[in-house]
Amino acid sequence: MRQAPSKAYFGRRYTLSASHRLHTQALTTAQNRAAYGKCNNPYGHGHNYVVEILVGGAVDPETGMVVDLAGLDALVDARILARFDHSNLNADPAFAERVPTTENLCCMIFGLIKDELPAGKLESVRIEETENNYFECRDAPAEPPGPRG
Ligand code: NI
């Protein structure tokens, strides 16, 4: 009897340095300050983000790999690092109407690469923003936000 192929996961870590300012036109100056605190500083601030990409899939019987590492690196370089590394996230058109929080950055990166992987399925994009904060986007529909209280 043939054994069903096992699903395996491959995670790869990239570093991305960028600045941002958390601010939305939807809120007043005072509300922005209350929501984002120091991150609402008009001059912005920077992070050395650590972006972790997790790909899952069957192990290719010939190569023994879930996804080709060089192919994944080329995709992330072209679509993510070339665009966002050493940038001001607020200046990117993708964030013209969207606050460049790290939640939004995770989901943006997820959407930019999920259909272009050389193999496997994009399971998650996880970003470490600071020693204490990390964010993750997974391929699941999000509950819409509730009414603002
Ligand atoms: Ni920040």
Side-chain angles (χ1 to χ4, degrees), residues 30-104:
Q31 286 169 329
N32 269 292
R33 171 57 68 167
Y36 302 122
K38 285 194 294 188
C39 299
N40 184 239
N41 180 314
Y43 300 105
H45 61 276
H47 294 284
N48 293 315
Y49 298 102
V50 177
V51 180
E52 295 179 352
I53 309 289
L54 184 66
V55 181
V59 176
D60 183 298
E62 281 177 13
T63 65
M65 300 195 296
V66 170
V67 62
D68 176 60
L69 171 61
L72 180 64
D73 281 356
L75 173 66
V76 173
D77 277 344
R79 293 297 154 85
I80 307 303
L81 301 181
R83 178 167 177 177
F84 297 117
D85 191 29
H86 288 77
S87 78
N88 171 4
L89 297 178
N90 296 74
D92 189 283
F95 290 111
E97 307 282 325
R98 200 172 313 181
V99 189
T101 59
T102 307
E103 291 93 325
N104 279 337

Side-chain angles (χ1 to χ4, degrees), residues 18-22 39 44-47 49 100-102 129-130 133:
S19 66
H20 69 172
R21 179 196 183 202
L22 302 187
C39 299
H45 61 276
H47 294 284
Y49 298 102
T101 59
T102 307
E129 183 191 63
T130 68
N133 288 357

